[in-house]
Amino acid sequence: MKYLSIVVSLLLLCACSMPLFALAQQSCAPDGPPPRAMDGPPPGFVPGPGVPAAPGLPPFLRGIDLSEAQQDKIFAATYALAPLLREQEKIAFKAHEQLRALAASSAYDDAQASALANTAAQAMAKISLQHARLEQQLLAVLTPAQRQQAQQRHDGQPGPRRAH
């Protein structure tokens, strides 16, 4: 009898955890890039005064005291860019996916592979250009003193963009 109650308890536990497994599977859908719509704030979101910086805030703006009007402008600029970035990410993801499938197939065509690689590269180039434009828009919102702070943070970060 004791074993029967243990088995029933385990079965109930498994039945209750199935929806969690289904949700976990949905978040990694194979038909596109990982969803970003509800993963958190957009890339340049800035919280209100007294609230710690959001993870999506560009590193060069972290720690800079922004007015509410500046926060609103940064929020608007980053949200306006989100649909374009999402579309280009989908294009790049699909091109990479098709390129991998083509490389693994017996009907490999070099011209088609080249076209897919170019499509992915163009989408990534558009994303990079939009990020640069967004950075310029965000810098334009800052006062000269804030820009100097941002430049100091930018120069102090390790990475490929650092001047030597």
Side-chain angles (χ1 to χ4, degrees):
M1 190 71 172
K2 183 177 178 182
Y3 293 111
L4 181 61
S5 66
I6 292 173
V7 169
V8 170
S9 297
L10 287 175
L11 287 174
L12 284 173
L13 180 64
C14 289
C16 291
S17 63
M18 288 307 240
L20 296 175
F21 290 123
L23 285 174
Q25 293 295 335
Q26 285 178 347
S27 68
C28 298
D31 58 345
R36 289 180 36 161
M38 299 302 288
D39 287 345
F45 174 72
V46 180
V51 179
L57 186 66
F60 70 93
L61 290 180
R62 288 194 181 135
I64 296 176
D65 189 27
L66 301 169
S67 70
E68 189 172 336
Q70 288 174 316
Q71 293 174 20
D72 290 343
K73 288 177 184 178
I74 289 169
F75 180 84
T78 55
Y79 256 160
L81 187 59
L84 181 91
L85 291 177
R86 174 75 175 146
E87 187 61 33
Q88 293 304 312
E89 288 171 354
K90 288 191 317 188
I91 290 169
F93 180 84
K94 287 178 183 177
H96 280 291
E97 188 176 64
Q98 291 172 353
L99 186 58
R100 283 190 299 273
L102 181 63
S105 77
S106 60
Y108 177 80
D109 178 18
D110 201 48
Q112 188 179 4
S114 179
L116 288 169
N118 285 336
T119 299
Q122 287 173 352
M124 294 307 293
K126 287 179 184 177
I127 290 171
S128 294
L129 178 61
Q130 290 305 318
H131 279 246
R133 286 179 179 159
L134 177 63
E135 187 171 335
Q136 271 302 303
Q137 283 180 319
L138 299 183
L139 286 172
V141 169
L142 302 178
T143 65
Q146 290 171 327
R147 263 184 290 219
Q148 185 177 8
Q149 271 186 303
Q151 185 62 43
Q152 289 170 350
R153 290 184 188 285
H154 192 279
D155 291 342
Q157 290 180 348
R161 295 180 3 182
R162 185 175 179 186
H164 292 273

